[in-house]
Amino acid sequence: MEQSLFFHICGYVATIGMILGYLPQAITTIRTRNTDGIALPTFLMMGIGSLAFMLQGLLHEPEIIWSMFLTNLITAACSVIIFSIKIYNDYIKK
């Protein structure tokens, strides 16, 4: 198998795994608004990491790594949603 093809397959497998790992937590948090078991620093750092990987995917030369960019766009959005609900529940609501 050519190295470039293997590289792209790994990227798409990682994309599917990351999205399927984040979406259930985001959906559950949005539906229930329950953030008691969520550590705020964890989702803050995961969101920052996703933003950094998004930039890396965009700035990669000679071409953009779309799987990396799109995966981290979705995971960053999920992190921001969960982080926002957590902030609201812990600091604004109380």
Side-chain angles (χ1 to χ4, degrees):
M1 183 182 300
E2 187 180 322
Q3 184 177 1
S4 178
L5 178 60
F6 182 70
F7 176 80
H8 287 292
I9 290 171
C10 286
Y12 289 113
V13 168
T15 297
I16 292 166
M18 290 288 293
I19 291 171
L20 293 178
Y22 262 90
L23 279 181
Q25 182 68 56
I27 291 168
T28 300
T29 302
I30 292 167
R31 283 185 181 162
T32 66
R33 299 285 187 202
N34 182 358
T35 57
D36 292 338
I38 295 174
L40 190 61
T42 300
F43 272 88
L44 177 61
M45 291 292 98
M46 289 168 63
I48 291 170
S50 290
L51 290 173
F53 276 133
M54 257 176 44
L55 286 173
Q56 184 181 16
L58 276 177
L59 299 174
H60 184 267
E61 292 293 331
E63 61 184 33
I64 294 172
I65 303 174
W66 287 106
S67 61
M68 180 184 273
F69 174 75
L70 294 174
T71 299
N72 288 290
L73 177 66
I74 293 167
T75 57
C78 290
S79 290
V80 167
I81 291 168
I82 294 168
F83 182 79
S84 300
I85 294 171
K86 179 72 172 165
I87 291 290
Y88 177 78
N89 286 348
D90 288 358
Y91 300 106
I92 298 172
K93 188 177 176 181
K94 292 183 180 182

